[in-house]
Amino acid sequence: MNKFTKIFVSALAVLAISAAAASAAYTHTGLLKMGMTSSQVMSLQQALNANGFLVSTTGAGSPGMESMYFGAKTKAAVMAYQSAKGLTPVDGIVGVTTGTSLTANAGGGSG
């Protein structure tokens, strides 16, 4: 391997690691609930998937195929997260408490 190839491969590795870290970060803004469509929902799905609360195992909502639609599968994943973290109510709505918890657990903030 020549010097240029080593540098190029190293740069690609750094970019891949940075992209993975960025996709796991989540910063909560506003109320999210079933029926909503936004980029914030996609970020929510990414955070849930990254933390082991899969929205879906295949297709829309699955890791790498997160969507902007908050449907029944997203609600179920939020409820599983809320239950596992001892949050109340376990209602599948992402408000301040659930959002703050996701932000802290997904590396998006300190609180």
Side-chain angles (χ1 to χ4, degrees):
M1 219 187 245
N2 67 34
K3 186 175 181 178
F4 174 77
T5 303
K6 288 179 183 177
I7 292 171
F8 182 74
V9 170
S10 296
L12 283 177
V14 169
L15 286 173
I17 291 167
S18 296
S23 69
Y26 175 79
T27 301
H28 179 71
T29 56
L31 180 75
L32 298 173
K33 61 184 180 177
M34 195 158 148
M36 295 180 80
T37 303
S38 73
S39 59
Q40 184 70 19
V41 172
M42 181 180 281
S43 182
L44 167 66
Q45 289 182 358
Q46 290 169 338
L48 289 166
N49 286 338
N51 282 283
F53 298 91
L54 296 182
V55 174
S56 181
T57 55
T58 61
S62 64
M65 295 188 64
E66 290 86 356
S67 73
M68 295 193 338
Y69 178 68
F70 194 129
K73 291 180 180 181
T74 304
K75 181 177 180 176
V78 170
M79 290 174 73
Y81 178 86
Q82 289 170 327
S83 179
K85 299 298 180 181
L87 303 175
T88 55
V90 178
D91 58 3
I93 295 172
V94 182
V96 174
T97 303
T98 301
T100 300
S101 176
L102 275 164
T103 297
N105 285 299
S110 60

